[in-house]
Amino acid sequence: MILYRILFLCLLSAGAPTGDRAKQLYKEGLHMKRDGRLEEAQQCFTAAIRADGGYVDAYLELAAIFRLQQQPEPAKQQLLALLANAPEHPGALRSLAEIFFEQAAYEDALAYAFRAQEQGCRGMNRIIGGSYAKLDHAAEAIAALEKARKEGDDVLCQLARLYAQQEDYPQSIRCYEEALKTDSTSATLYYELGMMHFNMENYQKATVAFEQAGQSGKSVDADLYLNLGMAYLKQANYFDAIRHLKTAQALRPKDIQVMLNLANACYKQQDFAQAITQWNNILMLQPLNAFAMFMLGKSYICSGEVAKGQAICDQAMALGAK
């Protein structure tokens, strides 16, 4: 039925000039596309191109249909054929940049995005920045994405992570806070903001952000409670530090970082009996950990077993000197 329809259109326009036949087929294709009849539209646009090989709009529409059908390769073929007739056509350059970006062919995406930008296409900074980011050119990515942000593109999260990668934590925090103004329920954003505050030694702000991440539905994992525990530990809030670190330990019982922070929190809270237990747990996994051994000795000394503690400290000193 589709084929008969296209043949009928071609017969109707057989006596018309080539350009008129192509336009008539193109218009019919647009109508079919609007109605969701993509296969029929595809046949019309193909016929329009056969009628007039230089009719660039038909190439663009045919490529758009292939993209809707998740067929990037035929779409690229049509766009490249268009460029053979119109080498700097902005729509074709923009579409090729988008397709190559979607295919993770970032160098090609960059090349076409720059060409499209030269022809006045908007929205290319997002692709340029995203491509540079994937190619590990963070500085170039940031410059392009800052331009994209000013153009209204939603790139704040990407910018925040790139600034963090560059260890520019104040700028990263700025982007996270701006992003949270429009998405105030994102657990991921709160968690990553907390990490930035922690890196800036803003421990009180870090705890607020981590707590908010938990309240916003962040998955219950050891990392969240470890970071909360460390942030509270830095503020000498040993009760909350121990509470969160014990939760982290329950989730990841043999994590040395969790165990070290928990032992340290118990020691600083002057719960030396619990500190001794925690240092011993570490030494069961890492018998040659000189730091844990030394702190075990100090915990014994502080608990009143001075001779035993001093002997363990001496052993740790000798171990550390090796």
Side-chain angles (χ1 to χ4, degrees):
M1 186 67 183
I2 296 173
L3 181 58
Y4 289 145
R5 174 70 174 166
I6 305 303
L7 287 172
F8 178 69
L9 285 169
C10 289
L11 287 171
L12 280 178
S13 58
T18 299
D20 291 343
R21 289 202 305 274
K23 285 182 181 179
Q24 186 174 349
L25 289 161
Y26 174 77
K27 288 179 181 178
E28 184 68 17
L30 289 178
H31 176 73
M32 292 174 178
K33 182 183 174 186
R34 282 194 295 268
D35 290 345
R37 296 149 62 191
L38 297 184
E39 290 186 14
E40 293 177 75
Q42 179 180 331
Q43 293 290 339
C44 281
F45 294 135
T46 301
I49 291 168
R50 286 174 183 161
D52 183 355
Y55 196 13
V56 295
D57 288 347
Y59 287 101
L60 281 175
E61 290 296 338
L62 187 52
I65 286 178
F66 282 127
R67 291 184 70 186
L68 286 171
Q69 296 172 330
Q70 304 298 311
Q71 299 182 61
E73 292 307 319
K76 286 196 299 189
Q77 291 172 12
Q78 296 303 320
L79 293 166
L80 291 170
L82 188 162
L83 289 177
N85 292 310
E88 298 305 319
H89 191 283
L93 294 171
R94 180 184 62 244
S95 294
L96 280 167
E98 292 169 352
I99 292 171
F100 279 117
F101 186 79
E102 291 163 3
Q103 292 183 315
Y106 300 116
E107 292 181 353
D108 288 325
L110 272 176
Y112 282 104
F114 277 123
R115 287 175 63 186
Q117 197 172 59
E118 288 172 1
Q119 298 306 314
C121 285
R122 293 179 58 82
M124 292 296 98
N125 282 311
R126 179 185 60 82
I127 291 177
I128 291 169
S131 297
Y132 272 133
K134 293 294 185 179
L135 293 168
D136 293 325
H137 295 292
E140 291 85 350
I142 287 170
L145 290 172
E146 283 287 4
K147 293 177 184 176
R149 182 182 65 82
K150 291 176 182 177
E151 293 167 354
D153 285 330
D154 183 11
V155 295
L156 280 168
C157 294
Q158 195 172 5
L159 269 170
R161 289 162 188 151
L162 283 166
Y163 278 123
Q165 182 182 324
Q166 295 292 87
E167 298 185 3
D168 189 344
Y169 302 127
Q171 289 287 16
S172 182
I173 288 169
R174 171 183 65 85
C175 291
Y176 278 121
E177 289 178 341
E178 283 188 40
L180 282 165
K181 289 177 183 177
T182 56
D183 187 5
S184 62
T185 62
S186 172
T188 299
L189 291 180
Y190 278 116
Y191 181 74
E192 293 178 7
L193 174 61
M195 294 299 296
M196 295 305 102
H197 280 306
F198 192 95
N199 290 335
M200 287 289 293
E201 300 182 5
N202 299 328
Y203 300 118
Q204 185 175 5
K205 290 182 178 180
T207 54
V208 170
F210 289 141
E211 295 279 13
Q212 190 64 54
Q215 293 168 16
S216 299
K218 184 175 184 340
S219 58
V220 179
D221 60 23
D223 288 330
L224 174 61
Y225 292 106
L226 170 60
N227 288 315
L228 264 169
M230 290 193 298
Y232 278 119
L233 183 57
K234 291 288 187 179
Q235 298 172 78
N237 183 340
Y238 304 125
F239 176 82
D240 285 322
I242 291 169
R243 176 168 61 90
H244 288 300
L245 289 167
K246 282 186 174 180
T247 303
Q249 188 178 50
L251 293 167
R252 215 153 59 200
K254 295 184 179 181
D255 187 304
I256 294 296
Q257 189 179 15
V258 173
M259 297 169 77
L260 284 168
N261 278 283
L262 180 54
N264 190 30
C266 291
Y267 178 83
K268 289 188 173 179
Q269 196 186 36
Q270 298 185 8
D271 185 349
F272 301 117
Q274 187 58 232
I276 288 168
T277 299
Q278 296 300 330
W279 296 122
N280 272 317
N281 287 340
I282 294 167
L283 289 167
M284 288 176 66
L285 296 175
Q286 295 184 347
L288 301 181
N289 188 323
F291 173 75
M293 188 179 294
F294 184 80
M295 291 304 299
L296 174 62
K298 287 190 68 175
S299 298
Y300 272 117
I301 291 170
C302 292
S303 69
E305 297 186 58
V306 178
K308 183 176 182 178
Q310 188 61 59
I312 294 172
C313 285
D314 291 343
Q315 185 181 353
M317 295 289 286
L319 184 62
K322 289 182 180 178

